[in-house]
Amino acid sequence: MTDTAIQAAGLGRRYGRRKRDVLADCSFRLPKGRICALVGPNGAGKSTLLAIAAGLLKPTAGTVEVLGGPPTAARSRIAYVAQHKPLHPQLTVAATLRLGAELNPGRWEQSAAERIAYGTGGLEPKAKIRSLSGGQRTRVALALAFGKRPELLLLDEPMADLDPLARHELTGALMAEAVEHGTTIVMSSHVVAELEGSCDYLLLLQGGRMRLAGDTEELLAAHALLTGTGTDFAPHTVIERRASGRGHTALVRVADTTEESAAGTTGPARHREQPTLEELVLGHLRSHQAPAGDIDHTDHNDHTHQQETAA
Amino acid sequence: MGVVEYRIDRRSGVATYLQIVQQTKQALRLGLLEPGDQLPTAREVVEATAINPNTVLKAYRELEREGLVEARRGLGTFVRRSLGSAPAESPLRAELVDWAGRARAAGLDRDDVAALFTAVLDENFKGDKE
Amino acid sequence: MSTFAVKGLPWTVLRLHRTALLVWGAGLLAATITLIRMYAIGDDARAFAGPCGSPGTSLASCLEITELTVDDTYRDTLSQVATVLSYLMFPVAAWAGGALIGREMENGTAQLNWTQSVSPARWLTAKLALPALLLATGTTTAVLLNVWAHQDGDPNLVGDWYYPDVFVSTGPVAVAYVLAGLSLGALAGLLTRRALAGAGVGFAVTLALYNLLERYREDLWPAQTVIGRAALNQPRSALQIDRGAITAEGQEENGVFACVDSDSLADLEKCKAATGLTDFWATQHPRSHFWPLQFVESGIVLALSAVAVLTAFLVLRRRTP
C-alpha cells in the first residue's frame, strides 16, 4: 500500500496539430486522504490534468501514477466527473444510477448514490436526464461518482452549475464522504474562494505549468504580506509588489525564519500579515503574467477590484 | 439536547479551526455544553459547514490539548470540563475598569482605547496565536 | 427490463439502445408475420398466376382472377421484403455511426463509461458484440423465412435468383451486409466522434460498398462459357454476362447479338450464312453458381467488417491510455 494518491513527474500533454503544450513539465505528489484544490485560470490545463489522472487521456510526456499504478489499472477505484457532466439523455435518474450499479459490481453503494440524487432538494427518480437543469445534472453525475465508493474522486469544476444552497450541501456531502472513507478528492475551479474552506492541498496551474503545489497551511506559512515604506523586502523573495499609500505591500516567500527575525530587528518598519489562500493564488498568478517576478502595480484599486471579481 | 452548530465566517480573517475552538469555548461558557456532553462528529460538522475535515480535527485536537474535551475511541469527542464564566469579579477586571476610567479622563476616545488595548494584547500574546 | 437475465455491461448496452432494440424486434415480428402469410397464400398465388379458364374447368376461374389479386399481393410483398432485406445495412450503419458510437463520443458518455470500471476496449466489445448477435440472428431468421416463403422460387412470382434484391435477400450475403453495416458505421462514429457525421459517413460508406459489389458481383466467380446453339438459347435461369461470335476470318467479336433466338437448326444455319459468322459463344452464371457467388461475396464483406472492427480497436487504443 502506498500513501500517495497521485504522483506526476514531468507530465505534459500536447495536442498534435496546434503544437501547443496544454500541460508541460508538471511534477507533484498528492498524498492520500487530502482534499485538493486544482486551481488556475480558464485554459490552464486543469481539465487535461484531471483527464490524464482519470485514465482517459494519454500524456505526451512524463509519467503519472494513480493509487500506486497507472491510471488505467485504478479505473474501478477512481471516480471522475467531467466538466460538462456527460450523462445519457434518454435515461431516467433511476436508470442512470442502475447503470452505475451494473458497471461497478462489488463496489456500488446504492444508498450513497441515492442520498446525493434524491436527498435534500433532490430529484425525481423517474425524471429524464434530458429534462434536468445544469445543477440537477451535476447532482446526478456526483451521485454516480459517490455510489462507486471511490478511493480517489476527480471533479472537474463540480460546483459551477450549482446554486449556493446546493453548492454548500454537496460540498458538505463531499467532506462527509472524505471523513468517513478517507477519500482523496481533487476539485478543480477557476474560483479560488469557492474551495478555500474545504481544501487542505493546493495545485496551482497556469499556462499548463504547475506554479504551486503543496499543503495549504505550509504554503500559507511560507508566505507573508509585508507592508513597509521602502521597496526593499530583503531577505524575503518578493513574488508581487504593489504601491500602497506612500509605501509598498508585497507578497513574499518568507526567507529562513532566523534570518527573518534578524532582518526584522534591523530593517525598516514593516507590518506583517498572513495572506489568505486567495491572495496567495492571485499574487502568484499575476506575477507570472508579467515577465519578471517583481512587478509594480501603482493602481492599488486594481488589486481589490480583481479580488472581488474572483470572489 | 440539540447539537452545537458552528457558524463559519470565511471573511472574518480568523482561521477556521480557531473559530471552532472559540465557538466551542463560548458554548462552554454559556453552559450550552457541560461535562459529558458530546461534540458533533467531524462528519456532522463538515456536512453542515462544508469545511475541510482536517480543520475540524485540528480544532478538536486543540480543545483536547487544552484539556477541555477528550476523544473516546469509536465513540466521539466529549466535554471534560466546563469553562467558568469569565472571572467577572476578579481583581484583574477591577484593575482594567480602573485603567479604562483613567484613559477616558486622559482624553482618549473609545477607538483610541481599543487600538491601544489590541496593540498591547498583540505584543504580550505574540507567541500564543497559531 | 429486469426480466432480462442480463447483467452488467450487456445490460447497459441493451438499456441505452432500448428504442433501437424495440424497433428491431418490431421489424422482425412484422417480417415474420408477413412471410408466414406469404407462404400461406403461395399456393393460391401460383394457381392464379397461371392460365385461367371458365368456371368448371380444371384451371382457375378467370372471373375470380380479375377479382382476386392474390398473385400480385404475393409478388409485390415479396419484392418489398427483398428490398428491405438488401437495404438493411444502410440504416444499420447510420444507427451504429450515430446513436451507437458517434453520439457517445460526441456528448462524452463514452468517457463516462470508461470511468465506471469499464475499459474502452471492453466497452467497444460490448457495443459491437451484442448488436452483432441480435442483428445476425434476426437477419438469418428473416432470410430463412424469405427463402421458405419463396417455395419453388417461381421467377414469375419471386423474381430471378440473380436480381440484386433477390440475390442478397435469399442468402448469407444479407447477414454479412448487416454486420458490415454495423462495423463500418461503428468505425465511422469512432473516427468522426460526432453523431450526425458518424451516421452520414456510415451510410455513405455502406452505400458505396453495396454499389461496388453489385456492379462486380458477376466477376466474383468464374463464369461458365457455352458455345454453339446453347450460346444463342440461354435459359432464363442463367445470368447472362457476355456473348460473341467467331467470324469467317477466325476473329472473335464481342457483344454480337446476331442469330440470337434462332429457333431451329435450319434457322441458325441460315443466319450463319447471312452474317458470315462461324460460331457463337456466351458466358453465364447458371443457377448452380448461386452458392459460390454467395460465399465469395459474404467472405469479402465479412473480411471488410473484420478489418473495420480491428481498425476501430486500434483507433481506440491509440486515443486512450
Side-chain angles (χ1 to χ4, degrees), chain A residues 147-213:
Chain A
K148 196 179 174 184
R149 273 284 113 83
E151 288 170 41
L152 174 62
L153 194 46
L154 303 167
L155 307 172
D156 199 353
E157 300 270 2
M159 306 299 170
D161 288 330
L162 296 174
D163 60 74
L165 202 66
R167 186 175 296 199
H168 186 84
E169 181 212 333
L170 290 173
T171 311
L174 273 176
M175 297 304 120
E177 179 76 9
V179 171
E180 212 138 277
H181 303 279
T183 317
T184 310
I185 300 175
V186 183
M187 279 188 276
S188 79
S189 178
H190 60 280
V191 185
V192 193
E194 189 177 287
L195 305 173
E196 188 154 4
S198 1
C199 294
D200 53 23
Y201 212 87
L202 178 75
L203 295 175
L204 176 60
L205 268 180
Q206 186 181 28
R209 291 177 185 275
M210 197 60 81
R211 297 298 182 205
L212 276 176

Side-chain angles (χ1 to χ4, degrees), chain A residues 226-251:
Chain A
L226 298 180
T227 307
T229 46
T231 55
D232 176 32
F233 291 93
H236 310 296
T237 316
V238 174
I239 288 157
E240 187 207 21
R241 192 186 64 207
R242 48 183 69 247
S244 165
R246 287 172 186 280
H248 287 87
T249 297
L251 175 69

Side-chain angles (χ1 to χ4, degrees), chain C:
Chain C
M1 296 304 279
S2 54
T3 46
F4 278 98
V6 182
K7 293 248 129 224
L9 189 53
W11 178 87
T12 67
V13 174
L14 293 181
R15 179 65 186 81
L16 284 177
H17 304 292
R18 188 161 70 174
T19 311
L21 188 67
L22 292 175
V23 168
W24 180 237
L28 270 182
L29 189 70
T32 305
I33 292 170
T34 306
L35 288 170
I36 288 174
R37 224 186 94 228
M38 287 308 107
Y39 180 83
I41 66 169
D43 289 344
D44 283 350
R46 276 166 180 73
F48 288 112
C52 64
S54 47
T57 59
S58 62
L59 295 171
S61 158
C62 290
L63 199 66
E64 278 180 54
I65 286 175
T66 51
E67 281 172 6
L68 296 173
T69 51
V70 63
D71 55 327
D72 285 342
T73 308
Y74 183 77
R75 194 181 288 119
D76 294 348
T77 309
L78 283 180
S79 157
Q80 281 160 14
V81 167
T83 307
V84 168
L85 266 175
S86 48
Y87 291 172
L88 198 56
M89 73 187 303
F90 307 136
V92 166
W95 171 76
L100 185 72
I101 303 288
R103 190 175 60 190
E104 293 232 8
M105 300 302 289
E106 181 170 345
N107 61 23
T109 43
Q111 280 90 338
L112 177 72
N113 284 302
W114 305 343
T115 52
Q116 293 291 326
S117 312
V118 177
S119 73
R122 251 190 80 209
W123 170 81
L124 186 58
T125 307
K127 281 274 191 186
L128 290 176
L130 267 171
L133 186 75
L134 293 171
L135 285 170
T137 48
T139 311
T140 305
T141 309
V143 166
L144 290 175
L145 282 168
N146 192 33
V147 172
W148 175 68
H150 277 202
Q151 298 186 10
D152 61 0
D154 180 352
N156 288 318
L157 287 169
V158 303
D160 287 294
W161 67 269
Y162 45 79
Y163 283 6
D165 286 9
V166 176
F167 180 79
V168 172
S169 65
T170 52
V173 161
V175 184
Y177 270 137
V178 168
L179 293 177
L182 175 68
S183 51
L184 289 169
L187 179 61
L190 211 57
L191 287 174
T192 58
R193 290 190 257 193
R194 291 284 177 276
L196 208 60
V201 171
F203 184 85
V205 168
T206 45
L207 193 67
L209 175 70
Y210 180 88
N211 281 294
L212 197 73
L213 281 169
E214 191 190 315
R215 181 164 172 194
Y216 293 105
R217 182 166 292 142
E218 60 194 35
D219 301 329
L220 297 181
W221 190 254
Q224 189 185 56
T225 306
V226 287
I227 54 166
R229 278 188 74 194
L232 298 172
N233 293 287
Q234 288 167 286
R236 179 181 177 174
S237 70
L239 168 63
Q240 306 182 11
I241 299 166
D242 200 4
R243 61 170 61 253
I246 294 159
T247 61
E249 293 82 41
Q251 275 192 323
E252 227 176 84
E253 274 182 29
N254 281 14
V256 176
F257 280 84
C259 306
V260 169
D261 296 333
S262 302
D263 287 333
S264 63
L265 199 60
D267 280 351
L268 177 60
E269 291 307 326
K270 227 192 286 172
C271 181
K272 272 184 180 176
T275 53
L277 299 168
T278 56
D279 205 355
F280 301 92
W281 57 268
T283 49
Q284 63 183 25
H285 281 302
R287 205 189 152 76
S288 62
H289 283 191
F290 174 79
W291 285 107
L293 284 169
Q294 281 275 345
F295 286 139
V296 172
E297 190 167 337
S298 301
I300 291 171
V301 173
L302 286 178
L304 202 67
S305 311
V307 169
V309 168
L310 199 71
T311 312
F313 275 100
L314 286 177
V315 166
L316 198 61
R317 204 173 65 180
R318 214 172 59 86
R319 284 223 197 109
T320 58

